[in-house]
Amino acid sequence: MKNTLARIVSAFGVVASFSALMTLIGIWFFRTQAVSPTFPYYYSLLAYVQDAAYALWGYFDGVHYLRLIENGYVDTGTQAFFPLYPTLVSFTSNLTGLNAYLSAVAFSIFALTLSLIFLWQLFPKAKYRNTFFLLLFPTSFFFLSVYTESLFLLLSLAFFLSLKKERYVVASLLAGLASATRLVGVFLGLVLVWHLLSRYKTSRLFYVLSLAILCLSGFIGYSYFLWSKFGDPLMFMHVQEMFGANRSGGELILLPQVLYRYAKMVLTVDPTTFLYQRIWLELIFFMGAAYAWFKNLKSNTLEINLYVISSLLLPTLTGTLSSIPRYILVLTPFLLPQTMKKTHFFLLLTFNFFLMLYLYSHFAHGTFVA
């Protein structure tokens, strides 16, 4: 009991310090340069707070989630966002009496706190190393934003901890919730099904099938909702083109084609623009994550390896690496090598920290980074 309480207090202290520091830095970034937002509903978002600087956690996709929390799936395009996160934030808002924006930020902080607790249980020998790597990752500021990052990280870590302890029903429930949070959540279910089939073969086929349905329940439920209300069970895919970033919503594009596109952009885009920097960032993040996955093949379990590579490849099927630096954020606990020289780790953290400050400054000024 004392150990559990100590972990909760420690995790909350770490997250509270991280939140306060990132908020102060973000406000300073906001006020040192004119903000030029590149996302819709910016000015309506500012109605939530008296000082516009405090609204930065609701930038970009955050405004779509805020509209979902308040209005539901009314606007065309909101179907791209899965329902669990806005539903939980809406519940938090009703419970606390806070507006949607403050409820969303509070919920993200709460989910991040629980994530650290599960992270420490899943990787007890490297908990401090993993914590620093996670919170100083170049896109870690999204953990505090009105995004699904904190919630999905919590569900994925809790899933793998349950899988490790062979609590398969709990793992199935967590996978089901993850599949109602983001599309990549379905891979947790597929990982669990593969694990059970390799363990039980066909001796408990009904048991495995039952858990498989539970694993995909969130995705199935959301697809049924889209079919019943809009006549398109895959509408979350078909509206992707509305958000730009050269995403394809109607056809699947293979990785070699994506890499070819990026090679052409490297040669044709103006090198003095931030878009050119983003192209390189997306390429480097993707290649770096793929390399880290390959290096960890032997040290990670097969289940983790399958989950990571599937999560990396899925976004590329839309024809772009856009947002890959953010998508990789929830995979970071599984990408850091279990053994690493202290000097190399310190250099990696230092590089990550300064890159995070650079990306965060652009984010605070209303420029899309991931």
Side-chain angles (χ1 to χ4, degrees), residues 27-237:
I27 292 172
W28 183 78
F29 282 146
F30 180 93
R31 289 175 175 162
T32 54
Q33 186 175 330
V35 176
S36 302
T38 57
F39 57 92
Y41 309 119
Y42 173 70
Y43 293 101
S44 61
L45 171 66
L46 298 185
Y48 284 97
V49 289
Q50 294 180 347
D51 188 334
Y54 290 92
L56 61 92
W57 298 125
Y59 281 10
F60 299 98
D61 285 358
V63 294
H64 297 294
Y65 278 116
L66 290 173
R67 290 180 65 82
L68 265 177
I69 293 163
E70 296 188 323
N71 306 317
Y73 289 93
V74 175
D75 302 329
T76 300
T78 53
Q79 296 79 10
F81 305 98
F82 278 50
L84 184 62
Y85 177 75
T87 300
L88 292 177
V89 173
S90 179
F91 174 78
T92 303
S93 179
N94 292 332
L95 185 67
T96 61
L98 297 173
N99 62 46
Y101 176 70
L102 293 178
S103 297
V105 174
F107 182 82
S108 293
I109 291 173
F110 173 73
L112 181 58
T113 302
L114 293 182
S115 297
L116 288 188
I117 295 172
F118 284 110
L119 178 70
W120 296 344
Q121 292 182 71
L122 191 60
F123 302 102
K125 295 182 180 179
K127 64 179 185 179
Y128 298 115
R129 194 165 57 102
N130 279 317
T131 301
F132 278 112
F133 185 65
L134 182 69
L135 296 183
L136 294 182
F137 194 74
T139 52
S140 62
F141 48 89
F142 282 105
F143 279 137
L144 304 177
S145 300
V146 186
Y147 276 71
T148 60
E149 262 57 35
S150 289
L151 174 60
F152 193 82
L153 177 68
L154 168 62
L155 293 171
S156 60
L157 290 173
F159 168 83
F160 280 107
L161 184 62
S162 299
L163 190 63
K164 183 178 180 180
K165 295 183 177 180
E166 300 183 356
R167 297 174 178 171
Y168 298 131
V169 175
V170 175
S172 299
L173 287 169
L174 291 165
L177 292 173
S179 72
T181 306
R182 291 165 74 159
L183 181 57
V184 293
V186 301
F187 292 130
L188 294 177
L190 297 178
V191 162
L192 178 59
V193 170
W194 181 91
H195 175 84
L196 292 174
L197 287 175
S198 64
R199 178 171 183 146
Y200 295 119
K201 306 300 181 184
T202 58
S203 62
R204 302 184 65 181
L205 188 58
F206 180 75
Y207 173 70
V208 174
L209 289 175
S210 299
L211 292 187
I213 294 173
L214 190 57
C215 286
L216 300 176
S217 58
F219 172 76
I220 294 171
Y222 184 49
S223 296
Y224 176 77
F225 166 77
L226 293 177
W227 174 73
S228 62
K229 186 167 184 177
F230 303 103
D232 183 0
L234 299 179
M235 194 173 180
F236 59 86
M237 289 178 55

Side-chain angles (χ1 to χ4, degrees), residues 1-11 120:
M1 183 65 182
K2 288 184 178 180
N3 290 336
T4 302
L5 182 61
R7 278 198 296 266
I8 293 173
V9 172
S10 299
W120 296 344

